[in-house]
Amino acid sequence: MFEMRYLPAEVRELFASDMRIVVDFLAEGNGYRSDRKVKHKAALIKMIRVLSGDKVKDGDVEKWLEECQMKEEDEIKVCELFDQYERRGRIKGKEEGKIEGRAEGENRLAELMKKLIGSGRNDDLEKIAFDQGYREEMYAAYHI
């Protein structure tokens, strides 16, 4: 067994094909950049994801390659492939963030409405619906 991330550069240079990309990535970390051409895109991304602790679901890498209209035989450099994959992650993260944010906002508003109803402040319900400043005051007043 070898700790591949600690291999010296002269040993890493002996690796060919996509395995060289893997050992260089392990040695250099997330800042790794290279103009090497990738031969096996899906396998390389899966291996990098596993080695970096990311969860890999069956078919998700292939689906992403298909969405990008990228085929295994297409020529692409490592840095371009990583940049595209990272961009996909940011887009997916934003989508997930919006969903979580909406749910959090709805829960916050529902909590405020419950507190106003519980306090007998039914007239304020309409006001919070139309006046964001007043709604923020009520959030603060009720520590929500």
Side-chain angles (χ1 to χ4, degrees):
M1 277 304 229
F2 290 99
E3 281 278 351
M4 292 172 48
R5 68 178 151 187
Y6 298 118
L7 292 175
E10 60 270 8
V11 174
R12 293 193 327 252
E13 288 172 6
L14 299 174
F15 286 90
S17 188
D18 293 344
M19 195 59 196
R20 169 73 184 276
I21 295 166
V22 172
V23 294
D24 284 345
F25 172 80
L26 289 171
E28 298 177 29
N30 288 335
Y32 170 67
R33 289 286 181 253
S34 172
D35 285 335
R36 295 183 67 81
K37 303 259 193 246
V38 178
K39 292 190 181 4
H40 307 286
K41 294 163 196 63
L44 177 68
I45 290 173
K46 286 178 188 177
M47 182 175 283
I48 297 293
R49 284 179 63 185
V50 167
L51 292 171
S52 64
D54 196 5
K55 293 181 181 176
V56 179
K57 296 179 188 171
D58 285 340
D60 68 337
V61 173
E62 290 81 3
K63 182 180 175 187
W64 171 75
L65 287 169
E66 192 176 297
E67 288 169 1
C68 292
Q69 298 176 342
M70 197 181 311
K71 297 179 178 119
E72 282 292 325
E73 62 270 12
D74 294 343
E75 280 198 14
I76 190 167
K77 295 177 184 177
V78 159
C79 58
E80 294 168 354
L81 182 66
F82 284 6
D83 287 346
Q84 285 187 27
Y85 198 74
E86 184 179 318
R87 195 175 9 239
R88 176 217 186 221
R90 276 193 236 115
I91 290 168
K92 188 175 179 184
K94 284 181 182 179
E95 291 169 0
E96 290 171 357
K98 284 181 183 178
I99 291 168
E100 289 175 14
R102 282 187 191 117
E104 187 177 303
E106 287 179 10
N107 291 336
R108 187 176 185 214
L109 182 59
E111 184 67 25
L112 177 58
M113 292 171 69
K114 289 177 198 174
K115 299 263 186 186
L116 290 172
I117 292 168
S119 300
R121 298 181 68 174
N122 295 338
D123 294 341
D124 289 324
L125 289 172
E126 185 173 349
K127 192 168 181 182
I128 65 165
F130 293 99
D131 187 338
Q132 182 178 357
Y134 187 68
R135 185 169 54 246
E136 293 299 328
E137 286 177 34
M138 293 293 99
Y139 284 138
Y142 285 99
H143 306 290
I144 300 173

